Amino acid sequence: MALSRIWSAFIIIAIVVASIKCFFFGQSDIFNWMVIGKADDAGNPLKVDGIIETCWTAVNICLKLVGIMALFMGFMSIAEKAGGIRLLSRIIGPFFSKLFPEVPKGHPATGHMVMNFSANLLGLDNAATPFGLKAMESLQELNPNKDTASNAQIMFLCLHASGLTLIPVSIIAVRASLNSANPTDIFIPCMIATFVATMAAMFIVSFKQKINVFQPVILVWVLSISAIIAALVFYLTHLQVAELQSFSGILSNGLLLLIFFLIVLGGLYKNINVYESFVEGAKGGFDTAIRIIPYLVGMLVAISLLRTSGTFDIIIDAMKQVCTFLGADSRFIDGIPTALIKPLSGSGARGMMIDTMTTHGADSFAGRLSSILQGSSDTTFYVIAVYFGAVSIKNTRYAVGAMLLADLVGICTAIGLCYLFFG
């Protein structure tokens, strides 16, 4: 119900704002751009796709996802039949059994979630989505109310949406292309911000589900992961940009290929028909990718209306006026558009980050803040539409509120870190 109200609010607010602009401020062409506008049209003042183009975008995303889903779910099928997922579940089981008490020990869902978190950590978005959707399907098997999100699904999705990523390579690459004097100087703030957002998501959902996060097992795992990340951050900060990008490519893509290698090797060792298992799993990937099309179209159209109506510009101007009235430092306002758009659209937030750095400079306070904000969270509403849509969840309970609250923690942390590191 919460998602339904938010979706309705997006559409109503967007149309009301556009109507005011059209009938009271003389912007007579705003309705045209909202419906048939194209971002690459030189005459389009909004530089954002209208709802018709957005529908095509949503379908194209799903069509591209078909191949990726088929690939990764095919390998997941081999891993499951070879016993790899069960092995992974047993290794991480002591920790996950505390955070996901509803998931039985050794259940395949644990292994699927670990694969998703690992892919996210390494910045492998293409791999994270299929693993995550497989995790949601596994958790749905345990869900007694098939149209209502379970506690385990909410915990998983909130942790996933916090977007914990080890190395923000794409952000560093953009900063380098825009002639930043030190493209990697946002690396540590990004790492800290996304880690804080992930911990916030865990605490928020744990509080709601009455899970004691101070249990020894949870504390040991969290502190161990923190120590590993801190050690890796210490090592990576001594690398040059080219060395960092090379290390990231080897770490992420090399590990992905290693996973494929081990899965096939395990399948051969267990004497299963690896190719037939791959094809069987790939068929499920195709079905899942097609099933999420209506959910994605609905969400992206609502977001498109909100952006093309100019609602974001109104919010930014209001925030600047409030800061001016209070006599507060308003430099952070110029980086905020990235944070506002990130929960709604990953590509939109990336474009806003680039626009901010182009306008104010890659090494400006706003440019650095937009980079940190881009790396501090995931696209919340996209995640909700795709993941809950894949398993036909209609009642998301408190998932939206928890995810947005974790996003807010990440945003506030990013702003504070930017002032701390860059004054």
Side-chain angles (χ1 to χ4, degrees), residues 14-37 44-46 48 50-51 304-311 313-314:
I15 295 175
V16 169
V17 170
S19 298
I20 293 173
K21 288 187 173 183
C22 178
F23 298 116
F24 294 94
F25 294 93
Q27 297 184 21
S28 56
D29 58 350
I30 190 170
F31 291 155
N32 290 334
W33 295 121
M34 289 176 69
V35 177
I36 61 174
N44 184 355
L46 305 174
V48 178
I51 58 175
S304 172
L305 287 172
L306 203 61
R307 293 181 63 195
T308 54
S309 67
T311 303
D313 296 332
I314 295 174

PDB file of all heavy atoms in Angstrom, residues 14-37 44-46 48 50-51 304-311 313-314:
ATOM      1  N   ALA A  14       3.416  15.687 -10.008  1.00  0.00           N
ATOM      2  CA  ALA A  14       4.030  16.073 -11.274  1.00  0.00           C
ATOM      3  C   ALA A  14       3.040  16.790 -12.187  1.00  0.00           C
ATOM      4  O   ALA A  14       3.357  17.837 -12.770  1.00  0.00           O
ATOM      5  CB  ALA A  14       4.591  14.839 -11.977  1.00  0.00           C
ATOM      6  N   ILE A  15       1.840  16.245 -12.309  1.00  0.00           N
ATOM      7  CA  ILE A  15       0.841  16.847 -13.198  1.00  0.00           C
ATOM      8  C   ILE A  15       0.349  18.183 -12.645  1.00  0.00           C
ATOM      9  O   ILE A  15       0.132  19.144 -13.400  1.00  0.00           O
ATOM     10  CB  ILE A  15      -0.330  15.870 -13.426  1.00  0.00           C
ATOM     11  CG1 ILE A  15       0.173  14.635 -14.191  1.00  0.00           C
ATOM     12  CG2 ILE A  15      -1.461  16.548 -14.196  1.00  0.00           C
ATOM     13  CD1 ILE A  15      -0.872  13.549 -14.381  1.00  0.00           C
ATOM     14  N   VAL A  16       0.193  18.290 -11.328  1.00  0.00           N
ATOM     15  CA  VAL A  16      -0.229  19.565 -10.715  1.00  0.00           C
ATOM     16  C   VAL A  16       0.828  20.646 -10.943  1.00  0.00           C
ATOM     17  O   VAL A  16       0.511  21.782 -11.335  1.00  0.00           O
ATOM     18  CB  VAL A  16      -0.497  19.375  -9.211  1.00  0.00           C
ATOM     19  CG1 VAL A  16      -0.663  20.737  -8.513  1.00  0.00           C
ATOM     20  CG2 VAL A  16      -1.754  18.532  -8.996  1.00  0.00           C
ATOM     21  N   VAL A  17       2.101  20.307 -10.703  1.00  0.00           N
ATOM     22  CA  VAL A  17       3.189  21.269 -10.901  1.00  0.00           C
ATOM     23  C   VAL A  17       3.253  21.698 -12.361  1.00  0.00           C
ATOM     24  O   VAL A  17       3.399  22.892 -12.673  1.00  0.00           O
ATOM     25  CB  VAL A  17       4.541  20.660 -10.462  1.00  0.00           C
ATOM     26  CG1 VAL A  17       5.710  21.554 -10.898  1.00  0.00           C
ATOM     27  CG2 VAL A  17       4.571  20.477  -8.949  1.00  0.00           C
ATOM     28  N   ALA A  18       3.148  20.745 -13.282  1.00  0.00           N
ATOM     29  CA  ALA A  18       3.193  21.060 -14.713  1.00  0.00           C
ATOM     30  C   ALA A  18       2.004  21.940 -15.125  1.00  0.00           C
ATOM     31  O   ALA A  18       2.160  22.862 -15.943  1.00  0.00           O
ATOM     32  CB  ALA A  18       3.209  19.772 -15.529  1.00  0.00           C
ATOM     33  N   SER A  19       0.844  21.666 -14.553  1.00  0.00           N
ATOM     34  CA  SER A  19      -0.350  22.467 -14.882  1.00  0.00           C
ATOM     35  C   SER A  19      -0.185  23.906 -14.420  1.00  0.00           C
ATOM     36  O   SER A  19      -0.559  24.852 -15.136  1.00  0.00           O
ATOM     37  CB  SER A  19      -1.589  21.844 -14.232  1.00  0.00           C
ATOM     38  OG  SER A  19      -1.819  20.541 -14.714  1.00  0.00           O
ATOM     39  N   ILE A  20       0.381  24.097 -13.242  1.00  0.00           N
ATOM     40  CA  ILE A  20       0.626  25.455 -12.735  1.00  0.00           C
ATOM     41  C   ILE A  20       1.596  26.193 -13.652  1.00  0.00           C
ATOM     42  O   ILE A  20       1.391  27.366 -13.983  1.00  0.00           O
ATOM     43  CB  ILE A  20       1.178  25.385 -11.296  1.00  0.00           C
ATOM     44  CG1 ILE A  20       0.102  24.853 -10.340  1.00  0.00           C
ATOM     45  CG2 ILE A  20       1.667  26.764 -10.833  1.00  0.00           C
ATOM     46  CD1 ILE A  20       0.596  24.597  -8.933  1.00  0.00           C
ATOM     47  N   LYS A  21       2.649  25.491 -14.073  1.00  0.00           N
ATOM     48  CA  LYS A  21       3.617  26.115 -14.971  1.00  0.00           C
ATOM     49  C   LYS A  21       2.996  26.465 -16.317  1.00  0.00           C
ATOM     50  O   LYS A  21       3.314  27.489 -16.917  1.00  0.00           O
ATOM     51  CB  LYS A  21       4.817  25.178 -15.187  1.00  0.00           C
ATOM     52  CG  LYS A  21       5.741  25.056 -13.992  1.00  0.00           C
ATOM     53  CD  LYS A  21       6.981  24.250 -14.354  1.00  0.00           C
ATOM     54  CE  LYS A  21       7.993  24.271 -13.214  1.00  0.00           C
ATOM     55  NZ  LYS A  21       9.237  23.556 -13.592  1.00  0.00           N
ATOM     56  N   CYS A  22       2.103  25.597 -16.787  1.00  0.00           N
ATOM     57  CA  CYS A  22       1.483  25.806 -18.092  1.00  0.00           C
ATOM     58  C   CYS A  22       0.474  26.965 -18.067  1.00  0.00           C
ATOM     59  O   CYS A  22       0.525  27.855 -18.916  1.00  0.00           O
ATOM     60  CB  CYS A  22       0.791  24.518 -18.549  1.00  0.00           C
ATOM     61  SG  CYS A  22      -0.083  24.654 -20.134  1.00  0.00           S
ATOM     62  N   PHE A  23      -0.408  26.964 -17.083  1.00  0.00           N
ATOM     63  CA  PHE A  23      -1.521  27.918 -17.089  1.00  0.00           C
ATOM     64  C   PHE A  23      -1.231  29.227 -16.362  1.00  0.00           C
ATOM     65  O   PHE A  23      -1.913  30.229 -16.592  1.00  0.00           O
ATOM     66  CB  PHE A  23      -2.763  27.257 -16.483  1.00  0.00           C
ATOM     67  CG  PHE A  23      -3.248  26.063 -17.261  1.00  0.00           C
ATOM     68  CD1 PHE A  23      -3.235  24.793 -16.698  1.00  0.00           C
ATOM     69  CD2 PHE A  23      -3.708  26.207 -18.563  1.00  0.00           C
ATOM     70  CE1 PHE A  23      -3.676  23.688 -17.416  1.00  0.00           C
ATOM     71  CE2 PHE A  23      -4.149  25.112 -19.294  1.00  0.00           C
ATOM     72  CZ  PHE A  23      -4.132  23.841 -18.717  1.00  0.00           C
ATOM     73  N   PHE A  24      -0.211  29.239 -15.486  1.00  0.00           N
ATOM     74  CA  PHE A  24       0.077  30.450 -14.727  1.00  0.00           C
ATOM     75  C   PHE A  24       1.421  31.077 -15.076  1.00  0.00           C
ATOM     76  O   PHE A  24       1.639  32.256 -14.807  1.00  0.00           O
ATOM     77  CB  PHE A  24       0.026  30.160 -13.229  1.00  0.00           C
ATOM     78  CG  PHE A  24      -1.350  29.802 -12.723  1.00  0.00           C
ATOM     79  CD1 PHE A  24      -1.752  28.476 -12.618  1.00  0.00           C
ATOM     80  CD2 PHE A  24      -2.265  30.795 -12.374  1.00  0.00           C
ATOM     81  CE1 PHE A  24      -3.022  28.144 -12.173  1.00  0.00           C
ATOM     82  CE2 PHE A  24      -3.531  30.467 -11.917  1.00  0.00           C
ATOM     83  CZ  PHE A  24      -3.916  29.131 -11.820  1.00  0.00           C
ATOM     84  N   PHE A  25       2.337  30.288 -15.655  1.00  0.00           N
ATOM     85  CA  PHE A  25       3.661  30.821 -15.969  1.00  0.00           C
ATOM     86  C   PHE A  25       3.990  30.737 -17.460  1.00  0.00           C
ATOM     87  O   PHE A  25       5.120  30.978 -17.861  1.00  0.00           O
ATOM     88  CB  PHE A  25       4.736  30.095 -15.160  1.00  0.00           C
ATOM     89  CG  PHE A  25       4.647  30.338 -13.683  1.00  0.00           C
ATOM     90  CD1 PHE A  25       3.930  29.483 -12.864  1.00  0.00           C
ATOM     91  CD2 PHE A  25       5.262  31.451 -13.107  1.00  0.00           C
ATOM     92  CE1 PHE A  25       3.830  29.714 -11.498  1.00  0.00           C
ATOM     93  CE2 PHE A  25       5.165  31.690 -11.749  1.00  0.00           C
ATOM     94  CZ  PHE A  25       4.453  30.824 -10.937  1.00  0.00           C
ATOM     95  N   GLY A  26       3.006  30.426 -18.262  1.00  0.00           N
ATOM     96  CA  GLY A  26       3.161  30.488 -19.707  1.00  0.00           C
ATOM     97  C   GLY A  26       4.015  29.419 -20.346  1.00  0.00           C
ATOM     98  O   GLY A  26       4.401  29.543 -21.515  1.00  0.00           O
ATOM     99  N   GLN A  27       4.325  28.335 -19.639  1.00  0.00           N
ATOM    100  CA  GLN A  27       5.126  27.254 -20.240  1.00  0.00           C
ATOM    101  C   GLN A  27       4.184  26.293 -20.978  1.00  0.00           C
ATOM    102  O   GLN A  27       3.926  25.184 -20.540  1.00  0.00           O
ATOM    103  CB  GLN A  27       5.929  26.527 -19.174  1.00  0.00           C
ATOM    104  CG  GLN A  27       6.949  27.420 -18.466  1.00  0.00           C
ATOM    105  CD  GLN A  27       7.803  26.658 -17.470  1.00  0.00           C
ATOM    106  OE1 GLN A  27       7.943  25.441 -17.547  1.00  0.00           O
ATOM    107  NE2 GLN A  27       8.382  27.384 -16.517  1.00  0.00           N
ATOM    108  N   SER A  28       3.684  26.753 -22.123  1.00  0.00           N
ATOM    109  CA  SER A  28       2.622  26.042 -22.833  1.00  0.00           C
ATOM    110  C   SER A  28       3.071  24.721 -23.452  1.00  0.00           C
ATOM    111  O   SER A  28       2.232  23.886 -23.799  1.00  0.00           O
ATOM    112  CB  SER A  28       2.054  26.937 -23.942  1.00  0.00           C
ATOM    113  OG  SER A  28       3.096  27.365 -24.828  1.00  0.00           O
ATOM    114  N   ASP A  29       4.381  24.543 -23.615  1.00  0.00           N
ATOM    115  CA  ASP A  29       4.850  23.306 -24.253  1.00  0.00           C
ATOM    116  C   ASP A  29       5.282  22.238 -23.250  1.00  0.00           C
ATOM    117  O   ASP A  29       5.760  21.182 -23.649  1.00  0.00           O
ATOM    118  CB  ASP A  29       6.021  23.607 -25.197  1.00  0.00           C
ATOM    119  CG  ASP A  29       7.183  24.280 -24.469  1.00  0.00           C
ATOM    120  OD1 ASP A  29       7.006  24.677 -23.302  1.00  0.00           O
ATOM    121  OD2 ASP A  29       8.264  24.412 -25.083  1.00  0.00           O
ATOM    122  N   ILE A  30       5.104  22.497 -21.963  1.00  0.00           N
ATOM    123  CA  ILE A  30       5.599  21.546 -20.970  1.00  0.00           C
ATOM    124  C   ILE A  30       4.903  20.192 -21.058  1.00  0.00           C
ATOM    125  O   ILE A  30       5.531  19.139 -20.883  1.00  0.00           O
ATOM    126  CB  ILE A  30       5.470  22.125 -19.533  1.00  0.00           C
ATOM    127  CG1 ILE A  30       6.226  21.219 -18.540  1.00  0.00           C
ATOM    128  CG2 ILE A  30       4.018  22.314 -19.133  1.00  0.00           C
ATOM    129  CD1 ILE A  30       6.372  21.821 -17.164  1.00  0.00           C
ATOM    130  N   PHE A  31       3.588  20.189 -21.379  1.00  0.00           N
ATOM    131  CA  PHE A  31       2.872  18.923 -21.497  1.00  0.00           C
ATOM    132  C   PHE A  31       3.429  18.077 -22.643  1.00  0.00           C
ATOM    133  O   PHE A  31       3.529  16.857 -22.534  1.00  0.00           O
ATOM    134  CB  PHE A  31       1.380  19.166 -21.708  1.00  0.00           C
ATOM    135  CG  PHE A  31       0.672  19.742 -20.506  1.00  0.00           C
ATOM    136  CD1 PHE A  31      -0.491  20.480 -20.658  1.00  0.00           C
ATOM    137  CD2 PHE A  31       1.167  19.533 -19.229  1.00  0.00           C
ATOM    138  CE1 PHE A  31      -1.145  21.009 -19.546  1.00  0.00           C
ATOM    139  CE2 PHE A  31       0.519  20.051 -18.117  1.00  0.00           C
ATOM    140  CZ  PHE A  31      -0.632  20.794 -18.276  1.00  0.00           C
ATOM    141  N   ASN A  32       3.772  18.758 -23.747  1.00  0.00           N
ATOM    142  CA  ASN A  32       4.334  18.029 -24.894  1.00  0.00           C
ATOM    143  C   ASN A  32       5.638  17.336 -24.519  1.00  0.00           C
ATOM    144  O   ASN A  32       5.855  16.167 -24.841  1.00  0.00           O
ATOM    145  CB  ASN A  32       4.583  18.987 -26.067  1.00  0.00           C
ATOM    146  CG  ASN A  32       3.296  19.474 -26.695  1.00  0.00           C
ATOM    147  OD1 ASN A  32       2.270  18.796 -26.620  1.00  0.00           O
ATOM    148  ND2 ASN A  32       3.326  20.640 -27.309  1.00  0.00           N
ATOM    149  N   TRP A  33       6.520  18.087 -23.841  1.00  0.00           N
ATOM    150  CA  TRP A  33       7.816  17.513 -23.464  1.00  0.00           C
ATOM    151  C   TRP A  33       7.661  16.396 -22.440  1.00  0.00           C
ATOM    152  O   TRP A  33       8.419  15.430 -22.440  1.00  0.00           O
ATOM    153  CB  TRP A  33       8.742  18.594 -22.910  1.00  0.00           C
ATOM    154  CG  TRP A  33       9.127  19.638 -23.924  1.00  0.00           C
ATOM    155  CD1 TRP A  33       8.903  20.984 -23.845  1.00  0.00           C
ATOM    156  CD2 TRP A  33       9.801  19.414 -25.165  1.00  0.00           C
ATOM    157  NE1 TRP A  33       9.395  21.625 -24.962  1.00  0.00           N
ATOM    158  CE2 TRP A  33       9.956  20.681 -25.789  1.00  0.00           C
ATOM    159  CE3 TRP A  33      10.292  18.281 -25.818  1.00  0.00           C
ATOM    160  CZ2 TRP A  33      10.570  20.842 -27.018  1.00  0.00           C
ATOM    161  CZ3 TRP A  33      10.903  18.437 -27.053  1.00  0.00           C
ATOM    162  CH2 TRP A  33      11.045  19.695 -27.644  1.00  0.00           C
ATOM    163  N   MET A  34       6.665  16.514 -21.571  1.00  0.00           N
ATOM    164  CA  MET A  34       6.437  15.471 -20.566  1.00  0.00           C
ATOM    165  C   MET A  34       5.970  14.159 -21.200  1.00  0.00           C
ATOM    166  O   MET A  34       6.266  13.081 -20.694  1.00  0.00           O
ATOM    167  CB  MET A  34       5.406  15.929 -19.534  1.00  0.00           C
ATOM    168  CG  MET A  34       5.899  17.012 -18.586  1.00  0.00           C
ATOM    169  SD  MET A  34       4.621  17.599 -17.461  1.00  0.00           S
ATOM    170  CE  MET A  34       4.403  16.153 -16.412  1.00  0.00           C
ATOM    171  N   VAL A  35       5.254  14.269 -22.314  1.00  0.00           N
ATOM    172  CA  VAL A  35       4.697  13.074 -22.945  1.00  0.00           C
ATOM    173  C   VAL A  35       5.597  12.530 -24.060  1.00  0.00           C
ATOM    174  O   VAL A  35       5.943  11.351 -24.078  1.00  0.00           O
ATOM    175  CB  VAL A  35       3.285  13.356 -23.504  1.00  0.00           C
ATOM    176  CG1 VAL A  35       2.742  12.123 -24.237  1.00  0.00           C
ATOM    177  CG2 VAL A  35       2.338  13.745 -22.373  1.00  0.00           C
ATOM    178  N   ILE A  36       6.007  13.398 -24.979  1.00  0.00           N
ATOM    179  CA  ILE A  36       6.738  12.908 -26.161  1.00  0.00           C
ATOM    180  C   ILE A  36       8.175  13.408 -26.219  1.00  0.00           C
ATOM    181  O   ILE A  36       8.860  13.220 -27.221  1.00  0.00           O
ATOM    182  CB  ILE A  36       6.007  13.319 -27.461  1.00  0.00           C
ATOM    183  CG1 ILE A  36       5.924  14.855 -27.566  1.00  0.00           C
ATOM    184  CG2 ILE A  36       4.613  12.706 -27.511  1.00  0.00           C
ATOM    185  CD1 ILE A  36       5.355  15.338 -28.891  1.00  0.00           C
ATOM    186  N   GLY A  37       8.643  14.052 -25.167  1.00  0.00           N
ATOM    187  CA  GLY A  37       9.998  14.597 -25.165  1.00  0.00           C
ATOM    188  C   GLY A  37      11.075  13.527 -25.250  1.00  0.00           C
ATOM    189  O   GLY A  37      10.899  12.405 -24.785  1.00  0.00           O
ATOM    190  N   ASN A  44      14.669  20.283 -26.713  1.00  0.00           N
ATOM    191  CA  ASN A  44      14.037  19.917 -25.450  1.00  0.00           C
ATOM    192  C   ASN A  44      14.733  20.634 -24.294  1.00  0.00           C
ATOM    193  O   ASN A  44      15.877  20.302 -23.961  1.00  0.00           O
ATOM    194  CB  ASN A  44      14.117  18.396 -25.255  1.00  0.00           C
ATOM    195  CG  ASN A  44      13.391  17.925 -23.991  1.00  0.00           C
ATOM    196  OD1 ASN A  44      12.901  18.730 -23.213  1.00  0.00           O
ATOM    197  ND2 ASN A  44      13.344  16.617 -23.796  1.00  0.00           N
ATOM    198  N   PRO A  45      14.069  21.603 -23.668  1.00  0.00           N
ATOM    199  CA  PRO A  45      14.721  22.347 -22.577  1.00  0.00           C
ATOM    200  C   PRO A  45      14.910  21.509 -21.323  1.00  0.00           C
ATOM    201  O   PRO A  45      15.735  21.831 -20.469  1.00  0.00           O
ATOM    202  CB  PRO A  45      13.747  23.505 -22.316  1.00  0.00           C
ATOM    203  CG  PRO A  45      12.407  22.968 -22.733  1.00  0.00           C
ATOM    204  CD  PRO A  45      12.686  22.058 -23.899  1.00  0.00           C
ATOM    205  N   LEU A  46      14.148  20.411 -21.187  1.00  0.00           N
ATOM    206  CA  LEU A  46      14.211  19.589 -19.983  1.00  0.00           C
ATOM    207  C   LEU A  46      15.372  18.592 -20.026  1.00  0.00           C
ATOM    208  O   LEU A  46      15.881  18.183 -18.985  1.00  0.00           O
ATOM    209  CB  LEU A  46      12.894  18.833 -19.802  1.00  0.00           C
ATOM    210  CG  LEU A  46      11.623  19.692 -19.764  1.00  0.00           C
ATOM    211  CD1 LEU A  46      10.391  18.803 -19.732  1.00  0.00           C
ATOM    212  CD2 LEU A  46      11.644  20.619 -18.567  1.00  0.00           C
ATOM    213  N   VAL A  48      15.272  15.534 -20.628  1.00  0.00           N
ATOM    214  CA  VAL A  48      14.827  14.302 -19.976  1.00  0.00           C
ATOM    215  C   VAL A  48      13.783  13.648 -20.870  1.00  0.00           C
ATOM    216  O   VAL A  48      12.962  14.339 -21.480  1.00  0.00           O
ATOM    217  CB  VAL A  48      14.214  14.588 -18.584  1.00  0.00           C
ATOM    218  CG1 VAL A  48      13.718  13.309 -17.942  1.00  0.00           C
ATOM    219  CG2 VAL A  48      15.227  15.272 -17.677  1.00  0.00           C
ATOM    220  N   GLY A  50      10.438  11.914 -22.116  1.00  0.00           N
ATOM    221  CA  GLY A  50       9.042  11.918 -21.714  1.00  0.00           C
ATOM    222  C   GLY A  50       8.564  10.496 -21.470  1.00  0.00           C
ATOM    223  O   GLY A  50       9.324   9.529 -21.573  1.00  0.00           O
ATOM    224  N   ILE A  51       7.259  10.351 -21.192  1.00  0.00           N
ATOM    225  CA  ILE A  51       6.760   9.041 -20.786  1.00  0.00           C
ATOM    226  C   ILE A  51       6.778   8.018 -21.929  1.00  0.00           C
ATOM    227  O   ILE A  51       6.954   6.825 -21.680  1.00  0.00           O
ATOM    228  CB  ILE A  51       5.341   9.149 -20.179  1.00  0.00           C
ATOM    229  CG1 ILE A  51       4.358   9.769 -21.164  1.00  0.00           C
ATOM    230  CG2 ILE A  51       5.383   9.942 -18.893  1.00  0.00           C
ATOM    231  CD1 ILE A  51       2.929   9.789 -20.637  1.00  0.00           C
ATOM    232  N   SER A 304       9.651   9.664 -14.443  1.00  0.00           N
ATOM    233  CA  SER A 304       9.821  10.568 -15.583  1.00  0.00           C
ATOM    234  C   SER A 304       8.928  11.797 -15.443  1.00  0.00           C
ATOM    235  O   SER A 304       9.363  12.932 -15.675  1.00  0.00           O
ATOM    236  CB  SER A 304       9.492   9.832 -16.886  1.00  0.00           C
ATOM    237  OG  SER A 304       9.460  10.724 -17.979  1.00  0.00           O
ATOM    238  N   LEU A 305       7.677  11.582 -15.063  1.00  0.00           N
ATOM    239  CA  LEU A 305       6.749  12.708 -14.880  1.00  0.00           C
ATOM    240  C   LEU A 305       7.246  13.658 -13.790  1.00  0.00           C
ATOM    241  O   LEU A 305       7.163  14.884 -13.934  1.00  0.00           O
ATOM    242  CB  LEU A 305       5.356  12.179 -14.523  1.00  0.00           C
ATOM    243  CG  LEU A 305       4.567  11.515 -15.651  1.00  0.00           C
ATOM    244  CD1 LEU A 305       3.311  10.864 -15.103  1.00  0.00           C
ATOM    245  CD2 LEU A 305       4.204  12.542 -16.723  1.00  0.00           C
ATOM    246  N   LEU A 306       7.764  13.082 -12.725  1.00  0.00           N
ATOM    247  CA  LEU A 306       8.254  13.904 -11.618  1.00  0.00           C
ATOM    248  C   LEU A 306       9.438  14.759 -12.058  1.00  0.00           C
ATOM    249  O   LEU A 306       9.557  15.926 -11.678  1.00  0.00           O
ATOM    250  CB  LEU A 306       8.653  12.994 -10.459  1.00  0.00           C
ATOM    251  CG  LEU A 306       8.685  13.603  -9.057  1.00  0.00           C
ATOM    252  CD1 LEU A 306       7.299  14.109  -8.659  1.00  0.00           C
ATOM    253  CD2 LEU A 306       9.180  12.587  -8.046  1.00  0.00           C
ATOM    254  N   ARG A 307      10.314  14.186 -12.877  1.00  0.00           N
ATOM    255  CA  ARG A 307      11.501  14.924 -13.332  1.00  0.00           C
ATOM    256  C   ARG A 307      11.145  15.971 -14.380  1.00  0.00           C
ATOM    257  O   ARG A 307      11.611  17.111 -14.321  1.00  0.00           O
ATOM    258  CB  ARG A 307      12.533  13.948 -13.896  1.00  0.00           C
ATOM    259  CG  ARG A 307      13.142  13.011 -12.869  1.00  0.00           C
ATOM    260  CD  ARG A 307      14.168  12.100 -13.501  1.00  0.00           C
ATOM    261  NE  ARG A 307      15.297  12.853 -14.042  1.00  0.00           N
ATOM    262  CZ  ARG A 307      16.184  12.363 -14.887  1.00  0.00           C
ATOM    263  NH1 ARG A 307      16.058  11.124 -15.319  1.00  0.00           N
ATOM    264  NH2 ARG A 307      17.179  13.107 -15.323  1.00  0.00           N
ATOM    265  N   THR A 308      10.331  15.592 -15.371  1.00  0.00           N
ATOM    266  CA  THR A 308      10.021  16.521 -16.464  1.00  0.00           C
ATOM    267  C   THR A 308       9.124  17.672 -16.017  1.00  0.00           C
ATOM    268  O   THR A 308       9.087  18.718 -16.665  1.00  0.00           O
ATOM    269  CB  THR A 308       9.342  15.780 -17.633  1.00  0.00           C
ATOM    270  OG1 THR A 308       8.188  15.071 -17.151  1.00  0.00           O
ATOM    271  CG2 THR A 308      10.293  14.801 -18.285  1.00  0.00           C
ATOM    272  N   SER A 309       8.405  17.490 -14.923  1.00  0.00           N
ATOM    273  CA  SER A 309       7.532  18.564 -14.440  1.00  0.00           C
ATOM    274  C   SER A 309       8.307  19.701 -13.781  1.00  0.00           C
ATOM    275  O   SER A 309       7.756  20.777 -13.543  1.00  0.00           O
ATOM    276  CB  SER A 309       6.513  17.998 -13.432  1.00  0.00           C
ATOM    277  OG  SER A 309       7.184  17.558 -12.253  1.00  0.00           O
ATOM    278  N   GLY A 310       9.584  19.461 -13.467  1.00  0.00           N
ATOM    279  CA  GLY A 310      10.394  20.487 -12.813  1.00  0.00           C
ATOM    280  C   GLY A 310      10.248  20.503 -11.308  1.00  0.00           C
ATOM    281  O   GLY A 310      10.691  21.445 -10.646  1.00  0.00           O
ATOM    282  N   THR A 311       9.662  19.447 -10.755  1.00  0.00           N
ATOM    283  CA  THR A 311       9.463  19.383  -9.307  1.00  0.00           C
ATOM    284  C   THR A 311      10.787  19.435  -8.555  1.00  0.00           C
ATOM    285  O   THR A 311      10.895  20.073  -7.495  1.00  0.00           O
ATOM    286  CB  THR A 311       8.697  18.098  -8.934  1.00  0.00           C
ATOM    287  OG1 THR A 311       7.454  18.075  -9.640  1.00  0.00           O
ATOM    288  CG2 THR A 311       8.434  18.034  -7.438  1.00  0.00           C
ATOM    289  N   ASP A 313      13.537  20.964  -9.421  1.00  0.00           N
ATOM    290  CA  ASP A 313      14.057  22.340  -9.422  1.00  0.00           C
ATOM    291  C   ASP A 313      13.405  23.179  -8.329  1.00  0.00           C
ATOM    292  O   ASP A 313      14.060  23.991  -7.670  1.00  0.00           O
ATOM    293  CB  ASP A 313      13.812  22.999 -10.784  1.00  0.00           C
ATOM    294  CG  ASP A 313      14.581  22.312 -11.908  1.00  0.00           C
ATOM    295  OD1 ASP A 313      15.643  21.740 -11.602  1.00  0.00           O
ATOM    296  OD2 ASP A 313      14.118  22.351 -13.054  1.00  0.00           O
ATOM    297  N   ILE A 314      12.121  22.956  -8.133  1.00  0.00           N
ATOM    298  CA  ILE A 314      11.397  23.691  -7.088  1.00  0.00           C
ATOM    299  C   ILE A 314      11.940  23.332  -5.714  1.00  0.00           C
ATOM    300  O   ILE A 314      12.148  24.203  -4.854  1.00  0.00           O
ATOM    301  CB  ILE A 314       9.883  23.384  -7.177  1.00  0.00           C
ATOM    302  CG1 ILE A 314       9.312  23.912  -8.489  1.00  0.00           C
ATOM    303  CG2 ILE A 314       9.141  23.986  -5.982  1.00  0.00           C
ATOM    304  CD1 ILE A 314       7.869  23.523  -8.736  1.00  0.00           C
TER     305      ILE A 314
END
